[in-house]
């Protein structure tokens, strides 16, 4: 299914997703960030509308993702395929990688602020530095590698306003078993809490 379509949105309802998995990976699930995220998933299941919004930065990323995807295929020499939403049916978890190949999951970021792209280029060199500087992106990529069953991933930062070398940055990331086990454990715990919320909110079901 094509990303951001009605079908894609429907498939994600009530499912913890790679893009927001970082919200479950703090010190515990007792943080307000985690509890809010789990409540939102309960609301989706119950058909309660969650207000949505699009910032200029979000729109910039959406507008430039297709160009970045084509650029990534050329620069990396990998035949990435576009994908929709992939669910892990053993867990209440899913993800929408920006592309997959035989071995890789692809995660593209198109920063609205050019200085953010330059920061990626200067500071992100491997999985460790991606985790240090952008843990939410690291968790997203690890989650998608797990969901799509890939042992490697690429983090790409792309800014079309710069020349083709300065505006491009790609780092290959290895899968990390410890991180993926943590994701699995937190999703299982969060699903139990989600079910408790649903029972309290809709006791007749």
């Amino acid at each position: 299914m094509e990303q951001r379509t009605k079908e894609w949105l429907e498939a994600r309802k009530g499912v913890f997703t790679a893009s927001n998995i970082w919200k479950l990976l703090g010190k515990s699930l007792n943080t307000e960030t985690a509890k809010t995220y789990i409540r939102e998933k309960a609301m989706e299941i119950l058909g309660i509308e969650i207000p949505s919004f699009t910032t200029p930065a979000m729109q910039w990323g959406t507008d430039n993702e297709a160009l970045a995807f084509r650029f990534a295929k050329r620069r990396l020499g990998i035949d990435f395929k576009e994908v929709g939403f992939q669910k892990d049916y053993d867990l209440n978890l899913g993800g929408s990688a920006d592309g997959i190949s035989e071995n890789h999951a692809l995660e593209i970021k198109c920063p609205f602020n050019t200085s953010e792209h330059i920061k990626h280029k200067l500071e992100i060199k491997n999985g460790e530095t991606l985790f240090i500087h952008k843990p939410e992106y690291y968790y997203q990529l690890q989650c998608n590698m797990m969901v799509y069953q890939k042992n490697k991933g690429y983090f790409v930062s792309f800014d079309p306003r710069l020349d083709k070398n300065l505006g491009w940055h790609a780092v290959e990331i290895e899968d990390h078993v410890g991180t993926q086990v943590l994701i699995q454990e937190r999703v299982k715990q969060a699903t139990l809490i989600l079910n408790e919320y649903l029972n309290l909110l809709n006791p007749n079901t």
Side-chain angles (χ1 to χ4, degrees):
M1 69 188 74
E2 187 177 347
Q3 294 191 25
R4 301 182 182 89
T5 61
K6 184 178 180 180
E7 182 185 15
W8 179 80
L9 292 169
E10 189 66 28
R12 290 162 51 96
K13 281 188 176 180
V15 180
F16 300 112
T17 62
S19 57
N20 285 307
I21 199 64
W22 64 271
K23 296 178 180 179
L24 301 180
L25 299 176
K27 291 183 178 180
S28 75
L29 293 180
N30 200 36
T31 64
E32 194 54 40
T33 297
K35 289 189 289 187
T36 298
Y37 184 40
I38 299 170
R39 284 198 301 269
E40 288 173 348
K41 291 299 159 182
M43 291 168 64
E44 289 176 359
I45 293 170
L46 295 172
I48 302 170
E49 185 174 353
I50 301 172
S52 62
F53 63 92
T54 300
T55 66
M58 292 165 64
Q59 191 61 51
W60 171 263
T62 299
D63 291 344
N64 287 281
E65 190 174 284
L67 175 61
F69 179 75
R70 295 193 298 270
F71 205 82
K73 291 178 69 172
R74 292 199 305 270
R75 287 296 295 260
L76 296 172
I78 297 174
D79 187 23
F80 287 106
K81 305 295 184 185
E82 293 181 275
V83 291
F85 184 71
Q86 176 72 33
K87 192 172 186 304
D88 183 331
Y89 288 97
D90 293 327
L91 296 167
N92 187 36
L93 177 68
S96 303
D98 292 322
I100 60 168
S101 68
E102 183 178 356
N103 298 313
H104 294 86
L106 177 66
E107 188 57 44
I108 296 170
K109 301 299 178 185
C110 301
F112 184 61
N113 191 326
T114 295
S115 69
E116 185 72 8
H117 168 75
I118 295 299
K119 179 180 179 181
H120 294 166
K121 197 168 181 70
L122 291 172
E123 297 180 346
I124 297 173
K125 304 298 182 184
N126 49 38
E128 182 179 358
T129 50
L130 177 60
F131 176 74
I132 290 170
H133 295 290
K134 286 291 183 180
E136 66 273 29
Y137 296 166
Y138 177 80
Y139 289 135
Q140 182 178 13
L141 190 50
Q142 289 291 333
C143 187
N144 275 328
M145 280 190 270
M146 184 172 65
V147 168
Y148 287 92
Q149 299 181 344
K150 306 299 178 182
N151 57 14
K152 295 180 181 180
Y154 266 105
F155 168 77
V156 167
S157 184
F158 180 74
D159 191 329
R161 295 163 292 196
L162 303 175
D163 70 47
K164 63 181 180 180
N165 291 317
L166 194 57
W168 162 262
H169 184 58
V171 178
E172 189 176 43
I173 308 296
E174 301 284 340
D175 62 352
H176 189 270
V177 174
T179 299
Q180 294 184 6
V181 168
L182 174 62
I183 292 171
Q184 293 170 17
E185 291 175 347
R186 289 295 177 86
V187 168
K188 289 176 183 176
Q189 294 167 8
T191 301
L192 292 175
I193 297 171
L194 172 60
N195 289 334
E196 290 176 4
Y197 286 175
L198 290 170
N199 288 334
L200 290 170
L201 293 168
N202 198 20
N204 295 323
T205 60

